[in-house]
Amino acid sequence: MAVGVLGVSGGLAVGGLVLLAVLGWALQRAVDTEAFRTADAVALLAAEEVLPDPLPVAGGQVRVQVIDAAGRVRAASIDADRLVPMVSPGSLDAGVRQRLTVSGERVGLTGPVRVVAVPAGTAADPRTVLVARSLADVRHSAHVVRTILLVSFPLLVVVLAAVAWRVVGATLRPVEALRRGAEEITGRDGGGRLPVPASRDEIHRLAVTLNGMLGRLESARDRQRAFVADAAHELRSPLANIRTELEVARRLADRTDWTAVSANLLADTERLGRLVDDLLLLARLDERPPARATGPVELGALLAAVAARYPSPPVRLDAPAAPLWTEGDPDELRRILTNLVDNAVRHAHGEVVLAAGPGADGAGGDGGTSGRGQAAGGRAGRGAAGGGGAGGSGVGAYHLVTVTDDGPGIPAGDRERVFGRFTRLDDARARDDGGAGLGLAIVRELVRRAGGGIELTDAHPGRAGGPGLRVRLLLPTLPDPEKP
């Protein structure tokens, strides 16, 4: 605020100086104009040889002389000197209108005097009309204005400073309230919010925006805490199992079935390794922005490679009639299909069908992401989660890949939460059936990176024994790179 007041003060000072300069120039110009008007009138009389004696003037602050080329005074006003010209002839240029400032003592006036010279007479008898006007009134007017400015300027600065203090204080009061509110919000009290002023101005919008940011940070912190707690719990479970197995084996000593113990320890170790791998993969996916894949992938060959890892039955491949190309990371696409097929095999009664074909134009950009269960890297139940393929524009052609099983299906109410991290449905709580609940979270992130989308539908609605589940995976199409 002090800088602003100083700036205004400087501006006022400069304005005052400009005002004084303009006022002095205008008043002096008015004096010159009036003097030239008088000189022109006298010059007209001199040209007609009808000069009166004394010369008539208006006011006591005006002196008029008519001098010849030799500097002799030929005529003068009643108060003017009749012997000595007001300006020496050597200071005048013949035949030129001039303005000069001389001392008032020379013409019998107080203070400086403005003298104008106007040529008159004839070529045979050239003369010059001199008119002197006192500048005392001009100086007095400028002095009065300068005094007024010197008196009013400090008062005006004080008033402006007081007004600025009140206005700026009232403007910054909501900002100070925001600062105090932010100071009260600590890492322990994550639910705090900043006060929102009642005025519908920029400060109000700033407070609303900051509160929205605090809400998102609080949600992210809650998710992080829940994630860390679930990860700690899931990591503790296999470690506790390993420790229990070893303690029991040590207590039984020679009666220990080391073959069974080693098998159990190996299973727990593999489970622990899958969980760590999934956690690291999710961490990398969170850090990296969604990136479109690195090369062409033929979906028929990819489906065949995934289906070959499972026995037939239950897994059956319905191969596409023609090559279907998409663009993506082959490992990420394989991970998506493997997770989905693992879930389908876990919950199917007797059959899992993999198929691929042309999809609809414009599908898959921001479609609902859905899925079920947990696959490689974790065992989970069935469910669905909203999401959608991040990175898709919602415009363009997509290939449709389906994974269909004849299991019990997924309730519609669960399809929005199964893709959450560490989310498992009740039928997947058993250690042998379910996992940590990370597989479908990985599927969602990988689908987003591929620019596609996933949705869940019932495979056989109304069928006894369960409607089954059909997972619809939409992937962007790519022209056949093998064709010219």
Side-chain angles (χ1 to χ4, degrees), residues 6-39:
L6 290 176
V8 173
S9 302
L12 290 176
V14 173
L17 295 176
V18 173
L19 174 62
L20 287 175
V22 172
L23 178 63
W25 175 83
L27 292 176
Q28 185 165 298
R29 184 179 179 85
V31 170
D32 291 346
T33 301
E34 186 64 26
F36 274 121
R37 185 180 295 114
T38 302

mmCIF file of all heavy atoms in Angstrom, residues 6-39:
data_model
loop_
_atom_site.group_PDB
_atom_site.id
_atom_site.type_symbol
_atom_site.label_atom_id
_atom_site.label_comp_id
_atom_site.label_asym_id
_atom_site.label_seq_id
_atom_site.Cartn_x
_atom_site.Cartn_y
_atom_site.Cartn_z
ATOM 1 N N LEU A 6 2.934 6.266 -2.429
ATOM 2 C CA LEU A 6 4.078 7.003 -2.968
ATOM 3 C C LEU A 6 3.927 7.244 -4.467
ATOM 4 O O LEU A 6 4.269 8.322 -4.972
ATOM 5 C CB LEU A 6 5.365 6.237 -2.678
ATOM 6 C CG LEU A 6 5.809 6.190 -1.206
ATOM 7 C CD1 LEU A 6 7.043 5.319 -1.057
ATOM 8 C CD2 LEU A 6 6.085 7.605 -0.689
ATOM 9 N N GLY A 7 3.429 6.256 -5.165
ATOM 10 C CA GLY A 7 3.214 6.437 -6.595
ATOM 11 C C GLY A 7 2.192 7.513 -6.887
ATOM 12 O O GLY A 7 2.382 8.364 -7.776
ATOM 13 N N VAL A 8 1.076 7.507 -6.125
ATOM 14 C CA VAL A 8 0.062 8.545 -6.320
ATOM 15 C C VAL A 8 0.629 9.924 -5.967
ATOM 16 O O VAL A 8 0.378 10.922 -6.656
ATOM 17 C CB VAL A 8 -1.186 8.229 -5.478
ATOM 18 C CG1 VAL A 8 -2.175 9.381 -5.522
ATOM 19 C CG2 VAL A 8 -1.850 6.962 -5.985
ATOM 20 N N SER A 9 1.411 9.983 -4.875
ATOM 21 C CA SER A 9 2.023 11.254 -4.484
ATOM 22 C C SER A 9 2.946 11.773 -5.572
ATOM 23 O O SER A 9 2.944 12.972 -5.914
ATOM 24 C CB SER A 9 2.793 11.087 -3.173
ATOM 25 O OG SER A 9 1.939 10.633 -2.135
ATOM 26 N N GLY A 10 3.768 10.904 -6.117
ATOM 27 C CA GLY A 10 4.642 11.308 -7.214
ATOM 28 C C GLY A 10 3.856 11.796 -8.414
ATOM 29 O O GLY A 10 4.216 12.800 -9.058
ATOM 30 N N GLY A 11 2.766 11.097 -8.738
ATOM 31 C CA GLY A 11 1.937 11.533 -9.852
ATOM 32 C C GLY A 11 1.312 12.888 -9.612
ATOM 33 O O GLY A 11 1.250 13.736 -10.517
ATOM 34 N N LEU A 12 0.835 13.113 -8.376
ATOM 35 C CA LEU A 12 0.264 14.417 -8.060
ATOM 36 C C LEU A 12 1.325 15.525 -8.138
ATOM 37 O O LEU A 12 1.045 16.638 -8.602
ATOM 38 C CB LEU A 12 -0.357 14.384 -6.666
ATOM 39 C CG LEU A 12 -1.639 13.546 -6.521
ATOM 40 C CD1 LEU A 12 -2.089 13.512 -5.074
ATOM 41 C CD2 LEU A 12 -2.754 14.100 -7.409
ATOM 42 N N ALA A 13 2.537 15.237 -7.638
ATOM 43 C CA ALA A 13 3.602 16.237 -7.705
ATOM 44 C C ALA A 13 3.935 16.595 -9.144
ATOM 45 O O ALA A 13 4.069 17.782 -9.503
ATOM 46 C CB ALA A 13 4.849 15.722 -6.985
ATOM 47 N N VAL A 14 4.059 15.591 -9.992
ATOM 48 C CA VAL A 14 4.341 15.862 -11.403
ATOM 49 C C VAL A 14 3.195 16.644 -12.028
ATOM 50 O O VAL A 14 3.397 17.594 -12.801
ATOM 51 C CB VAL A 14 4.585 14.536 -12.154
ATOM 52 C CG1 VAL A 14 4.706 14.773 -13.657
ATOM 53 C CG2 VAL A 14 5.854 13.869 -11.640
ATOM 54 N N GLY A 15 1.962 16.266 -11.678
ATOM 55 C CA GLY A 15 0.813 17.001 -12.207
ATOM 56 C C GLY A 15 0.807 18.454 -11.764
ATOM 57 O O GLY A 15 0.453 19.361 -12.544
ATOM 58 N N GLY A 16 1.187 18.718 -10.494
ATOM 59 C CA GLY A 16 1.250 20.096 -10.020
ATOM 60 C C GLY A 16 2.279 20.911 -10.777
ATOM 61 O O GLY A 16 2.028 22.078 -11.144
ATOM 62 N N LEU A 17 3.451 20.310 -11.009
ATOM 63 C CA LEU A 17 4.478 21.022 -11.765
ATOM 64 C C LEU A 17 4.024 21.315 -13.185
ATOM 65 O O LEU A 17 4.256 22.417 -13.721
ATOM 66 C CB LEU A 17 5.773 20.206 -11.776
ATOM 67 C CG LEU A 17 6.457 20.011 -10.418
ATOM 68 C CD1 LEU A 17 7.671 19.095 -10.571
ATOM 69 C CD2 LEU A 17 6.876 21.354 -9.824
ATOM 70 N N VAL A 18 3.383 20.354 -13.806
ATOM 71 C CA VAL A 18 2.879 20.582 -15.164
ATOM 72 C C VAL A 18 1.824 21.684 -15.159
ATOM 73 O O VAL A 18 1.768 22.536 -16.057
ATOM 74 C CB VAL A 18 2.324 19.262 -15.740
ATOM 75 C CG1 VAL A 18 1.630 19.512 -17.076
ATOM 76 C CG2 VAL A 18 3.448 18.246 -15.920
ATOM 77 N N LEU A 19 0.964 21.671 -14.132
ATOM 78 C CA LEU A 19 -0.066 22.698 -14.041
ATOM 79 C C LEU A 19 0.544 24.092 -13.926
ATOM 80 O O LEU A 19 0.113 25.035 -14.606
ATOM 81 C CB LEU A 19 -0.965 22.422 -12.832
ATOM 82 C CG LEU A 19 -2.027 23.482 -12.510
ATOM 83 C CD1 LEU A 19 -3.005 23.628 -13.675
ATOM 84 C CD2 LEU A 19 -2.762 23.118 -11.227
ATOM 85 N N LEU A 20 1.557 24.230 -13.081
ATOM 86 C CA LEU A 20 2.207 25.531 -12.939
ATOM 87 C C LEU A 20 2.850 25.978 -14.248
ATOM 88 O O LEU A 20 2.770 27.153 -14.636
ATOM 89 C CB LEU A 20 3.258 25.463 -11.829
ATOM 90 C CG LEU A 20 2.723 25.396 -10.390
ATOM 91 C CD1 LEU A 20 3.875 25.219 -9.406
ATOM 92 C CD2 LEU A 20 1.921 26.660 -10.064
ATOM 93 N N ALA A 21 3.516 25.068 -14.933
ATOM 94 C CA ALA A 21 4.164 25.419 -16.191
ATOM 95 C C ALA A 21 3.141 25.844 -17.237
ATOM 96 O O ALA A 21 3.321 26.855 -17.946
ATOM 97 C CB ALA A 21 4.997 24.242 -16.701
ATOM 98 N N VAL A 22 2.053 25.093 -17.355
ATOM 99 C CA VAL A 22 1.031 25.424 -18.348
ATOM 100 C C VAL A 22 0.346 26.743 -17.999
ATOM 101 O O VAL A 22 0.057 27.573 -18.867
ATOM 102 C CB VAL A 22 0.006 24.271 -18.446
ATOM 103 C CG1 VAL A 22 -1.172 24.663 -19.319
ATOM 104 C CG2 VAL A 22 0.674 23.023 -19.007
ATOM 105 N N LEU A 23 0.084 26.933 -16.695
ATOM 106 C CA LEU A 23 -0.562 28.184 -16.279
ATOM 107 C C LEU A 23 0.326 29.397 -16.590
ATOM 108 O O LEU A 23 -0.150 30.406 -17.123
ATOM 109 C CB LEU A 23 -0.877 28.126 -14.784
ATOM 110 C CG LEU A 23 -1.506 29.373 -14.173
ATOM 111 C CD1 LEU A 23 -2.869 29.634 -14.804
ATOM 112 C CD2 LEU A 23 -1.628 29.231 -12.654
ATOM 113 N N GLY A 24 1.632 29.316 -16.275
ATOM 114 C CA GLY A 24 2.546 30.421 -16.580
ATOM 115 C C GLY A 24 2.616 30.715 -18.057
ATOM 116 O O GLY A 24 2.602 31.885 -18.494
ATOM 117 N N TRP A 25 2.672 29.633 -18.851
ATOM 118 C CA TRP A 25 2.741 29.830 -20.305
ATOM 119 C C TRP A 25 1.468 30.472 -20.831
ATOM 120 O O TRP A 25 1.504 31.388 -21.673
ATOM 121 C CB TRP A 25 2.970 28.484 -20.978
ATOM 122 C CG TRP A 25 2.952 28.536 -22.476
ATOM 123 C CD1 TRP A 25 3.982 28.872 -23.294
ATOM 124 C CD2 TRP A 25 1.837 28.265 -23.331
ATOM 125 N NE1 TRP A 25 3.607 28.831 -24.599
ATOM 126 C CE2 TRP A 25 2.277 28.449 -24.661
ATOM 127 C CE3 TRP A 25 0.529 27.873 -23.109
ATOM 128 C CZ2 TRP A 25 1.448 28.266 -25.749
ATOM 129 C CZ3 TRP A 25 -0.319 27.691 -24.192
ATOM 130 C CH2 TRP A 25 0.150 27.887 -25.501
ATOM 131 N N ALA A 26 0.310 30.035 -20.333
ATOM 132 C CA ALA A 26 -0.966 30.578 -20.812
ATOM 133 C C ALA A 26 -1.118 32.049 -20.410
ATOM 134 O O ALA A 26 -1.565 32.890 -21.228
ATOM 135 C CB ALA A 26 -2.123 29.755 -20.249
ATOM 136 N N LEU A 27 -0.765 32.393 -19.175
ATOM 137 C CA LEU A 27 -0.890 33.791 -18.744
ATOM 138 C C LEU A 27 0.056 34.703 -19.527
ATOM 139 O O LEU A 27 -0.318 35.825 -19.922
ATOM 140 C CB LEU A 27 -0.616 33.888 -17.244
ATOM 141 C CG LEU A 27 -1.660 33.234 -16.328
ATOM 142 C CD1 LEU A 27 -1.218 33.320 -14.876
ATOM 143 C CD2 LEU A 27 -3.023 33.879 -16.514
ATOM 144 N N GLN A 28 1.299 34.234 -19.749
ATOM 145 C CA GLN A 28 2.244 35.049 -20.508
ATOM 146 C C GLN A 28 1.797 35.202 -21.954
ATOM 147 O O GLN A 28 1.970 36.271 -22.562
ATOM 148 C CB GLN A 28 3.634 34.434 -20.442
ATOM 149 C CG GLN A 28 4.703 35.292 -21.110
ATOM 150 C CD GLN A 28 6.096 34.850 -20.721
ATOM 151 O OE1 GLN A 28 6.467 34.903 -19.546
ATOM 152 N NE2 GLN A 28 6.849 34.410 -21.716
ATOM 153 N N ARG A 29 1.207 34.177 -22.500
ATOM 154 C CA ARG A 29 0.704 34.270 -23.869
ATOM 155 C C ARG A 29 -0.440 35.282 -23.933
ATOM 156 O O ARG A 29 -0.562 36.031 -24.912
ATOM 157 C CB ARG A 29 0.220 32.883 -24.335
ATOM 158 C CG ARG A 29 -0.225 32.868 -25.794
ATOM 159 C CD ARG A 29 -0.658 31.458 -26.182
ATOM 160 N NE ARG A 29 -1.100 31.421 -27.567
ATOM 161 C CZ ARG A 29 -0.316 31.274 -28.619
ATOM 162 N NH1 ARG A 29 1.005 31.183 -28.437
ATOM 163 N NH2 ARG A 29 -0.801 31.242 -29.844
ATOM 164 N N ALA A 30 -1.269 35.295 -22.906
ATOM 165 C CA ALA A 30 -2.352 36.277 -22.875
ATOM 166 C C ALA A 30 -1.797 37.704 -22.805
ATOM 167 O O ALA A 30 -2.317 38.630 -23.466
ATOM 168 C CB ALA A 30 -3.271 35.999 -21.685
ATOM 169 N N VAL A 31 -0.731 37.926 -22.004
ATOM 170 C CA VAL A 31 -0.089 39.244 -21.936
ATOM 171 C C VAL A 31 0.466 39.641 -23.295
ATOM 172 O O VAL A 31 0.293 40.784 -23.758
ATOM 173 C CB VAL A 31 1.008 39.234 -20.849
ATOM 174 C CG1 VAL A 31 1.851 40.502 -20.933
ATOM 175 C CG2 VAL A 31 0.388 39.101 -19.475
ATOM 176 N N ASP A 32 1.150 38.714 -23.973
ATOM 177 C CA ASP A 32 1.710 39.012 -25.294
ATOM 178 C C ASP A 32 0.618 39.352 -26.287
ATOM 179 O O ASP A 32 0.752 40.282 -27.102
ATOM 180 C CB ASP A 32 2.519 37.813 -25.803
ATOM 181 C CG ASP A 32 3.799 37.594 -25.006
ATOM 182 O OD1 ASP A 32 4.186 38.504 -24.254
ATOM 183 O OD2 ASP A 32 4.381 36.486 -25.115
ATOM 184 N N THR A 33 -0.465 38.607 -26.245
ATOM 185 C CA THR A 33 -1.553 38.865 -27.199
ATOM 186 C C THR A 33 -2.141 40.260 -26.995
ATOM 187 O O THR A 33 -2.389 40.999 -27.963
ATOM 188 C CB THR A 33 -2.644 37.792 -27.029
ATOM 189 O OG1 THR A 33 -2.077 36.493 -27.250
ATOM 190 C CG2 THR A 33 -3.776 38.014 -28.010
ATOM 191 N N GLU A 34 -2.379 40.590 -25.743
ATOM 192 C CA GLU A 34 -2.935 41.917 -25.462
ATOM 193 C C GLU A 34 -1.950 43.021 -25.851
ATOM 194 O O GLU A 34 -2.344 44.077 -26.413
ATOM 195 C CB GLU A 34 -3.287 42.018 -23.980
ATOM 196 C CG GLU A 34 -3.997 43.298 -23.598
ATOM 197 C CD GLU A 34 -5.360 43.439 -24.269
ATOM 198 O OE1 GLU A 34 -5.959 42.370 -24.613
ATOM 199 O OE2 GLU A 34 -5.816 44.578 -24.473
ATOM 200 N N ALA A 35 -0.664 42.814 -25.598
ATOM 201 C CA ALA A 35 0.337 43.821 -25.959
ATOM 202 C C ALA A 35 0.428 43.978 -27.463
ATOM 203 O O ALA A 35 0.535 45.121 -27.987
ATOM 204 C CB ALA A 35 1.685 43.437 -25.370
ATOM 205 N N PHE A 36 0.418 42.914 -28.213
ATOM 206 C CA PHE A 36 0.467 42.999 -29.676
ATOM 207 C C PHE A 36 -0.779 43.682 -30.220
ATOM 208 O O PHE A 36 -0.721 44.430 -31.206
ATOM 209 C CB PHE A 36 0.613 41.599 -30.291
ATOM 210 C CG PHE A 36 2.034 41.133 -30.397
ATOM 211 C CD1 PHE A 36 2.441 39.965 -29.769
ATOM 212 C CD2 PHE A 36 2.961 41.856 -31.134
ATOM 213 C CE1 PHE A 36 3.755 39.527 -29.869
ATOM 214 C CE2 PHE A 36 4.276 41.423 -31.239
ATOM 215 C CZ PHE A 36 4.684 40.250 -30.591
ATOM 216 N N ARG A 37 -1.932 43.442 -29.601
ATOM 217 C CA ARG A 37 -3.151 44.104 -30.061
ATOM 218 C C ARG A 37 -3.015 45.628 -29.899
ATOM 219 O O ARG A 37 -3.385 46.404 -30.805
ATOM 220 C CB ARG A 37 -4.350 43.576 -29.277
ATOM 221 C CG ARG A 37 -5.673 44.150 -29.791
ATOM 222 C CD ARG A 37 -6.858 43.620 -28.991
ATOM 223 N NE ARG A 37 -6.996 42.184 -29.174
ATOM 224 C CZ ARG A 37 -6.815 41.276 -28.193
ATOM 225 N NH1 ARG A 37 -6.442 41.704 -26.980
ATOM 226 N NH2 ARG A 37 -6.959 40.007 -28.422
ATOM 227 N N THR A 38 -2.479 46.034 -28.752
ATOM 228 C CA THR A 38 -2.275 47.490 -28.543
ATOM 229 C C THR A 38 -1.240 48.048 -29.519
ATOM 230 O O THR A 38 -1.414 49.138 -30.106
ATOM 231 C CB THR A 38 -1.823 47.741 -27.096
ATOM 232 O OG1 THR A 38 -2.812 47.222 -26.190
ATOM 233 C CG2 THR A 38 -1.615 49.217 -26.841
ATOM 234 N N ALA A 39 -0.145 47.289 -29.731
ATOM 235 C CA ALA A 39 0.913 47.744 -30.635
ATOM 236 C C ALA A 39 0.407 47.849 -32.061
ATOM 237 O O ALA A 39 0.757 48.804 -32.793
ATOM 238 C CB ALA A 39 2.100 46.792 -30.545
#
